[in-house]
Amino acid sequence: MKRNAVAFGTGALFAAGLAISGMTKPSKVVGFLDISGAWDASLAFVMLGAIVVHFIAYRVVMRRPAPLFDFKFHVPTRKDIDLRLMLGAALFGVGWALGGFCPGPGLVALGGGSLNAVVFVVGMTIGMLVEQVAARALARRKAD
Amino acid sequence: MNDFTPISALVGGALIGLAASLLLLTHGKVAGISGLYGGMLRRGTSDRAFRFWFLGGLVVTGGLVKLMFPAAFATTWSATLPVVLAAGLIVGFGTQLGNGCTSGHGVCGISRLSVRSLVATATFMLTGFATVFIVRHLLEGSR
């Protein structure tokens, strides 16, 4: 109960940050990606603010033996650069630029009642399920 | 579209970083939205409830912001619905394939100095720049 309430509150804080920073407006996102137009550098400052805070806090938090509600941290440790990573990131950038939404702002704008965001999240959900089914099928074929 | 807002961007960004840090401190998890959402969809994920409540916080807050500060959603540009649907499909497929998006790779991964996340972020920024250039300046020919 307490865990879920904290998860909810953390999500709410994350969403407030996105709304305050203007990232819930696709025009701000596409304005950043439009380097040869009237470039709006705001998104770089959002990332800067988030990275500075998390860079420091990450180092403080990880000194603990475990998080508060779990017996260990679940932080990715992979270091390999593979085709999946490159292709996935490349595709993500294309979709991000076409719609002006990434997953976080898409979900916040969905809550804000934006029809575009509803359609975006429906598409995103289908896209994720397709990838998961394809990845499972590939893994099965490899195992045979 | 030239409305550069560095102060609110830094303040909002700092709150995003704070939220990511609190999630790490409490649940020990990375605040990557595509990863949390994709894991909620996947069969056999053990921590579905936590994912549901975190993402629920995002959606519900969107509703509250709409009621109290509707200007937060006042976008001066929107894609058409078919393009938004295609964008969603590509974002969904791409983030699952590449294990992350702007939050997981761009914020959390770079903060950890993860090479994978640095490479992923540079890649999606580049294809994002290229896509807007092609759509806005070559196809539509505006500005």
Side-chain angles (χ1 to χ4, degrees), chain A residues 24 28 34 68-69 74 80 125, chain B residues 3 5 26 28 37 72 116 137:
Chain A
T24 43
K28 294 287 284 182
D34 190 10
L68 296 174
F69 302 154
H74 305 269
D80 56 310
T125 307
Chain B
D3 49 353
T5 50
T26 55
Y37 189 81
R116 271 173 66 83
H137 299 286

Side-chain angles (χ1 to χ4, degrees), chain A residues 18 28 65 86 111 139:
Chain A
L18 286 172
K28 294 287 284 182
M86 298 291 292

Side-chain angles (χ1 to χ4, degrees), chain A residues 12-94:
Chain A
L13 183 65
F14 196 101
L18 286 172
I20 289 168
S21 62
M23 294 301 105
T24 43
K25 300 174 193 172
S27 53
K28 294 287 284 182
V29 172
V30 174
F32 170 76
L33 294 174
D34 190 10
I35 34 169
S36 57
W39 193 49
D40 176 0
S42 305
L43 192 146
F45 281 70
V46 179
M47 291 196 61
L48 180 71
I51 290 169
V52 166
V53 169
H54 195 53
F55 179 88
I56 298 166
Y58 176 81
R59 274 143 190 85
V60 176
V61 170
M62 293 305 279
R63 279 192 209 151
R64 299 175 53 89
L68 296 174
F69 302 154
D70 205 332
F71 59 91
K72 64 170 180 139
F73 287 102
H74 305 269
V75 174
T77 50
R78 282 178 65 177
K79 290 191 163 56
D80 56 310
I81 310 295
D82 59 348
L83 186 65
R84 274 181 60 107
L85 179 80
M86 298 291 292
L87 190 62
L91 281 172
F92 165 54
V94 172

Side-chain angles (χ1 to χ4, degrees), chain A residues 1-8 69, chain B residues 27 53:
Chain A
M1 184 61 222
K2 190 174 88 186
R3 293 172 185 213
N4 290 342
V6 169
F8 184 87
F69 302 154
Chain B
H27 288 82
W53 285 100

Side-chain angles (χ1 to χ4, degrees), chain A residues 3-4 6-8 10-15 17-21 24-28 30-42 45-51 53-55 57-59 61-62 64 67-70 73-76 78-82 84-99 102-104 107-112 115-116 119-121 123-129 131-132 136, chain B residues 1-6 8-10 12-31 33-34 37-38 41-43 50 53-63 65-66 71-79 81 83-85 87-98 101-103 105-108 110-113 115-116 119-120 123-125 127-129 131-133 135-137 143:
Chain A
R3 293 172 185 213
N4 290 342
V6 169
F8 184 87
T10 315
L13 183 65
F14 196 101
L18 286 172
I20 289 168
S21 62
T24 43
K25 300 174 193 172
S27 53
K28 294 287 284 182
V30 174
F32 170 76
L33 294 174
D34 190 10
I35 34 169
S36 57
W39 193 49
D40 176 0
S42 305
F45 281 70
V46 179
M47 291 196 61
L48 180 71
I51 290 169
V53 169
H54 195 53
F55 179 88
Y58 176 81
R59 274 143 190 85
V61 170
M62 293 305 279
R64 299 175 53 89
L68 296 174
F69 302 154
D70 205 332
F73 287 102
H74 305 269
V75 174
R78 282 178 65 177
K79 290 191 163 56
D80 56 310
I81 310 295
D82 59 348
R84 274 181 60 107
L85 179 80
M86 298 291 292
L87 190 62
L91 281 172
F92 165 54
V94 172
W96 187 36
L98 285 178
C102 48
L107 289 171
V108 178
L110 170 110
L115 177 62
N116 273 37
V119 172
F120 173 81
V121 172
M124 180 174 89
T125 307
I126 297 169
M128 285 182 171
L129 290 170
E131 198 281 335
Q132 291 176 8
R136 266 201 299 275
Chain B
M1 192 172 290
N2 195 7
D3 49 353
F4 180 43
T5 50
S8 57
L10 276 173
L15 289 181
I16 293 168
L18 182 64
S21 306
L22 288 173
L23 194 68
L24 186 73
L25 173 67
T26 55
H27 288 82
K29 297 272 165 61
V30 172
I33 308 302
S34 62
Y37 189 81
L41 300 176
R42 190 175 286 124
R43 274 177 297 170
F50 145 76
W53 285 100
F54 178 85
L55 298 169
L58 285 181
V59 176
V60 170
T61 304
V65 169
K66 179 71 179 178
F73 298 107
T75 184
T76 55
W77 172 90
S78 285
L81 287 180
V83 172
V84 170
L85 181 65
L89 288 166
I90 299 169
V91 165
F93 190 89
T95 53
Q96 288 298 288
L97 190 66
C101 58
T102 14
S103 48
H105 281 313
V107 173
C108 297
I110 289 184
S111 297
R112 288 197 313 273
L113 303 179
V115 177
R116 271 173 66 83
V119 169
T123 305
F124 67 66
M125 289 279 177
T127 57
F129 289 139
T131 303
V132 170
F133 181 76
V135 170
R136 203 168 260 202
H137 299 286
R143 261 182 284 192

